[in-house]
Amino acid sequence: MARAALAAKAPEERRERIMLATIAVVRERGFAGTRVADIALEAGTSQGLVLYHFGSLAGALAAGLTMLEDEFYDDFAHHLAAEDGPVERLRFMAELAAGRGAAVGNWALWLELWARALRDPDARAVRESQDRRWRAALRRVIDEGVAAGSFSPSNSAKSVLRLAALMDGLAVQLALNEPGMTSRKFTELWWESAVLELGITEPAKRGKAPR
């Protein structure tokens, strides 16, 4: 595929092109199989400019995932507000995490970041920020449900941690194509746990998650 040179592009546009290229290459090859040269080729720029903007391959991946996350939350807030009440909003979050979202649903990319976070401080900071952001969104929905009388957790903070951890665990199986694990199964298992954890008695009206 022909790629336009970026020499005359504004720095902001060049950064975005490099981040998109990083996501595309890592999605195809994995972090271990990706070189800075591959990203430069995909973006139509030089290796020097990739390193100038992001410092390292891990830095480019972290920046790219942060960009995807920001785009995701812009869309997420709009759709979440359209759901009718906390039960429907919680179900929507489960379905989104199970594969309907461009960012959170793309668990294979997050696994690449998690692996880097074991040893790379920048990747660790991005991972922690992403976790806090998702847990905060989950906490807001749970608090709304408590206020509305729809949820009755014994401890909301602990419920957030348990439900978020379960989501991460199911996501690993989904990303690794574990036999029998589908988006629908992910949603069903997580929702059953959420019902018990939060004391939900009102059934969700949303349709089933995609397979």
Side-chain angles (χ1 to χ4, degrees):
M1 180 179 67
R3 299 177 178 87
L6 297 181
K9 300 292 184 181
E12 295 79 9
E13 182 179 350
R14 185 165 58 234
R15 279 179 56 87
E16 182 176 352
R17 287 283 296 274
I18 293 171
M19 287 188 287
L20 290 172
T22 302
I23 293 301
V25 176
V26 172
R27 182 181 282 125
E28 178 183 353
R29 304 183 184 185
F31 189 89
T34 297
R35 304 170 303 161
V36 172
D38 300 324
I39 295 171
L41 181 63
E42 179 72 20
T45 189
S46 68
Q47 296 182 54
L49 278 175
V50 174
L51 296 175
Y52 170 77
H53 283 293
F54 301 104
S56 66
L57 178 58
L61 175 61
L65 288 174
T66 298
M67 178 184 68
L68 287 183
E69 183 191 34
D70 289 342
E71 293 175 352
F72 163 80
Y73 275 103
D74 287 343
D75 187 60
F76 168 75
H78 172 74
H79 285 90
L80 191 68
E83 296 296 331
D84 185 20
V87 174
E88 298 306 311
R89 291 190 178 98
L90 190 67
R91 178 75 183 196
F92 170 73
M93 291 183 73
E95 293 181 0
L96 195 64
R100 291 177 54 196
V104 172
N106 202 336
W107 288 107
L109 285 174
W110 302 130
L111 290 181
E112 296 284 355
L113 180 67
W114 291 349
R116 296 300 304 171
L118 290 172
R119 296 176 178 83
D120 185 280
D122 292 335
R124 186 180 307 118
V126 172
R127 186 207 63 77
E128 291 173 353
S129 173
Q130 292 168 349
D131 278 354
R132 285 194 300 269
R133 197 169 184 179
W134 182 250
R135 290 174 185 175
L138 185 58
R139 178 62 187 265
R140 285 193 294 272
V141 172
I142 289 176
D143 286 348
E144 180 189 0
V146 171
S150 300
F151 304 157
S152 55
S154 59
N155 184 300
S156 293
K158 290 182 179 179
S159 291
V160 168
L161 289 176
R162 281 191 286 264
L163 291 174
L166 175 60
M167 190 171 282
D168 287 346
L170 291 171
V172 171
Q173 296 184 49
L174 190 65
L176 295 177
N177 296 313
E178 177 73 16
M181 179 55 66
T182 63
S183 290
R184 177 172 293 177
K185 179 62 69 175
F186 180 120
T187 304
E188 289 176 352
L189 292 174
W190 191 87
W191 185 251
E192 288 170 0
S193 295
V195 166
L196 295 174
E197 179 73 37
L198 302 175
I200 301 173
T201 57
E202 175 187 346
K205 301 174 185 177
R206 294 186 58 81
K208 292 182 178 179
R211 293 182 183 275

